[in-house]
Amino acid sequence: MADSGASPRPNRGAGTDPTAGDHLVRIRHIALTALTTATLAHAVPAAAQTLTGEHRQAAERLVDAALTDRTGWERLTEMVDAFGPRLSGSVNLELALDWMLETMEADGLDAVRGEPVMVPHWVRGEESARLVMPRERDLPMLGLGGSVGTPPGGIRAEVLVVSDFAELEARADEARGRIVLFDAPFVSYGLTVQYRTRGAVAAAEAGAVASLIRSVTPHSQQTPHTGVMDYAEGVERIPHAAITVEDAELLHRLQDRGERIEVELRMEAKTLPDAPSRNVMGQVTGWEHPDEVVVLGGHSDSWDVGQGAMDDGGGVLAAWEAVRLMKALGLRPRRTVRAVAWTNEENGLRGGEAYAEDHAEETHVLAIESDGGVFSPEGFGFMGSDAAYAIVREIGALLDGIGAGEITRGGGGADIGPLMRQGVPGMGLQVDSTRYFWFHHTDADTIDKLDPDEFARCVAAMAVMAYLVADLAEPLPR
Ligand SMILES: [Zn+2]
């Protein structure tokens, strides 16, 4: 973690990917050589053989195009620079969706449309946190999504620092009337994020007047991380915000030395009535089974900080570019391949839910999601039957040359969750996740942290997987 990660192009040095830093042409050469090798390796085997020579040629063409055509990368850059962060309910998000619709039309994609979805509308307003005792310091902070605000004059209170929920329970009698700070070190996103989601409820149950968390990240440069949080029925709704790892540790050390700590918190956050948004999509319609669909995508919305470049502008643009390349190359599969920009993943999941409902009449043969950043791709996590797993592994082997051929058991994503619960096989793009949570939900989630070559390989992986599954002679078995 002490490597070149803080530089604007973090993968250019001691990356873990053997192709990182190489010139595109070299990657392309490696990719094509490996495709040929994969073709030979897979020419003989067994009963599971489902891919034809035409499939392999199509895969080669898609990889070749993805690694040489910069359109998708340039659009990602243009989108995040022009519209910035895209929180549900914001003008930024809807302007970005208008632009996507116009640009997908210009690409000549089929059935381009925006399907209406009502989304939550939370606004941050002005906010600040200030250490006032034992010394003065402005604490970089971000209110958590869905939080209530403070009274206009703010809340000033003594702070109780705890390491986890168990310590809060043990010291509950000290929490009344105070601001509770959860200084929970990062273990994994899944484990540590519970202080963000459930912290306000636990603190309020102990009688606290507000709660703070140590930002959910393994690496910090005084950057606070926002994200969604929950309240519970019957428990008082108190303001809930994130401070930095550095300041959480500072306050903890001060408490350990017996200092009295006071913080003043001001937040204007509030929730407005639901606002209209859209799931935006375009496709290459299948020539044989137009109503059988391989859907792939990411979420168009982001938090209201940074640019939402890795979370999840990159996922949206990679899926869209995969479909655009099929169209541009004249590759029309047997079944429909649809790129979707789902709205409101971050604080509601209304887009993913609406999509599954609105498209219940269609048969989805596979759903693919990219929402872990468009870093160096490693493969896909797959959820489906053994028979389907054997086929997607065969396709994955064609991606070994770009390092994206590993298909593991278990995976999916938040936006395709509602489809998967209907029995649709699901897949999540797996990438080198080393740096993702350094920037996740912060003002530093900006395009300079991403790399065009890594993005190009994500496009290639998504394009090959989606196209070949859509073009199988028989539908991917459930
Ligand atoms: Zn996301």
Side-chain angles (χ1 to χ4, degrees):
M1 213 152 301
D3 65 10
S4 59
S7 71
R9 280 286 157 70
N11 73 329
R12 292 271 180 211
T16 53
D17 180 341
T19 61
D22 286 1
H23 190 269
L24 255 186
V25 169
R26 169 145 172 76
I27 294 177
R28 186 180 155 203
H29 174 76
I30 293 167
L32 294 178
T33 307
L35 273 173
T36 312
T37 312
T39 304
L40 292 174
H42 284 257
V44 192
Q49 189 64 28
T50 41
L51 300 181
T52 64
E54 276 182 35
H55 286 143
R56 294 196 173 82
Q57 274 174 14
E60 276 190 34
R61 293 179 67 201
L62 286 166
V63 170
D64 189 14
L67 298 189
T68 50
D69 187 329
R70 291 288 168 120
T71 305
W73 172 260
E74 281 159 13
R75 282 180 176 173
L76 173 59
T77 306
E78 184 185 337
M79 181 182 81
V80 300
D81 286 349
F83 305 107
R86 304 170 301 281
L87 184 60
S88 289
S90 69
V91 174
N92 294 16
L93 173 59
E94 297 311 306
L95 290 175
L97 298 181
D98 289 342
W99 170 84
M100 279 184 210
L101 286 164
E102 283 164 25
T103 314
M104 281 183 177
E105 285 281 3
D107 287 344
L109 298 191
D110 304 329
V112 173
R113 60 205 183 276
E115 297 177 347
V117 186
M118 292 302 287
V119 296
H121 189 189
W122 177 80
V123 290
R124 172 179 308 283
E126 293 294 312
E127 59 182 14
S128 66
R130 184 162 177 78
L131 178 66
V132 286
M133 280 205 26
R135 68 175 169 92
E136 299 220 2
R137 169 176 161 73
D138 286 326
L139 305 172
M141 59 83 77
L142 281 172
L144 296 168
S147 178
V148 297
T150 62
I155 291 172
R156 177 174 172 159
E158 192 178 345
V159 175
L160 170 68
V161 187
V162 296
S163 296
D164 51 30
F165 289 125
E167 187 180 357
L168 176 62
E169 211 167 296
R171 303 179 67 174
D173 55 330
E174 296 173 67
R176 185 155 301 279
R178 291 200 192 173
I179 296 171
V180 167
L181 164 62
F182 294 96
D183 178 30
F186 186 88
V187 179
S188 68
Y189 185 69
L191 280 175
T192 311
V193 79
Q194 62 182 324
Y195 294 94
R196 194 186 78 205
T197 55
R198 301 201 288 117
V201 170
E205 280 174 335
V209 292
S211 61
L212 299 173
I213 59 163
R214 165 182 171 136
S215 286
V216 183
T217 183
H219 174 83
S220 180
Q221 298 196 14
Q222 284 286 19
T223 317
H225 294 236
T226 190
V228 77
M229 57 151 303
D230 295 327
Y231 288 120
E233 206 63 49
V235 180
E236 197 190 340
R237 297 178 168 221
I238 59 173
H240 191 39
I243 61 172
T244 67
V245 170
E246 290 89 338
D247 284 332
E249 293 196 355
L250 166 68
L251 268 55
H252 211 158
R253 288 194 302 273
L254 292 172
Q255 174 176 284
D256 289 347
R257 289 182 201 124
E259 300 273 11
R260 178 187 169 92
I261 307 161
E262 287 186 23
V263 162
E264 190 175 80
L265 183 67
R266 289 174 193 268
M267 293 168 63
E268 291 181 350
K270 61 186 172 197
T271 300
L272 302 174
D274 286 356
S277 187
R278 290 156 288 173
N279 284 329
V280 165
M281 61 203 79
Q283 65 192 41
V284 172
T285 304
W287 62 266
E288 191 178 29
H289 306 289
D291 294 335
E292 294 180 13
V293 180
V294 171
V295 65
L296 70 162
H299 62 89
S300 56
D301 66 308
S302 73
W303 283 102
D304 56 339
V305 289
Q307 294 186 318
M310 66 184 76
D311 188 15
D312 182 26
V316 168
L317 265 295
W320 170 6
E321 181 67 358
V323 175
R324 189 192 72 83
L325 288 173
M326 290 172 206
K327 188 84 189 178
L329 294 172
L331 290 168
R332 183 175 290 279
R334 290 172 187 274
R335 295 172 193 78
T336 294
V337 178
R338 179 180 298 147
V340 180
W342 287 286
T343 192
N344 184 229
E345 187 273 342
E346 294 291 2
N347 59 339
L349 213 58
R350 301 271 186 88
E353 284 164 359
Y355 179 87
E357 265 174 42
D358 295 348
H359 294 266
E361 298 304 306
E362 292 173 326
T363 302
H364 283 84
V365 294
L366 177 66
I368 307 174
E369 182 167 334
S370 168
D371 189 16
V374 282
F375 296 101
S376 187
E378 295 170 350
F380 295 89
F382 177 71
M383 195 82 91
S385 65
D386 288 343
Y389 183 51
I391 293 168
V392 295
R393 287 186 69 183
E394 194 184 333
I395 296 170
L398 300 180
L399 294 167
D400 283 342
I402 57 167
E406 194 184 355
I407 316 293
T408 53
R409 272 297 202 177
D415 281 309
I416 62 174
L419 284 175
M420 291 172 67
R421 284 191 285 280
Q422 294 173 4
V424 177
M427 244 183 198
L429 180 70
Q430 301 281 353
V431 301
D432 173 1
S433 60
T434 310
R435 301 185 304 274
Y436 184 61
F437 288 110
W438 298 5
F439 307 112
H440 182 250
H441 300 178
T442 73
D443 216 28
D445 176 357
T446 48
I447 190 74
D448 49 281
K449 312 302 186 307
L450 299 175
D451 180 273
D453 297 347
E454 294 185 344
F455 173 81
R457 280 183 281 132
C458 290
V459 172
M462 304 259 285
V464 168
M465 185 57 71
Y467 182 85
L468 292 192
V469 169
D471 200 51
L472 294 171
E474 299 297 322
L476 191 70
R478 286 208 172 180

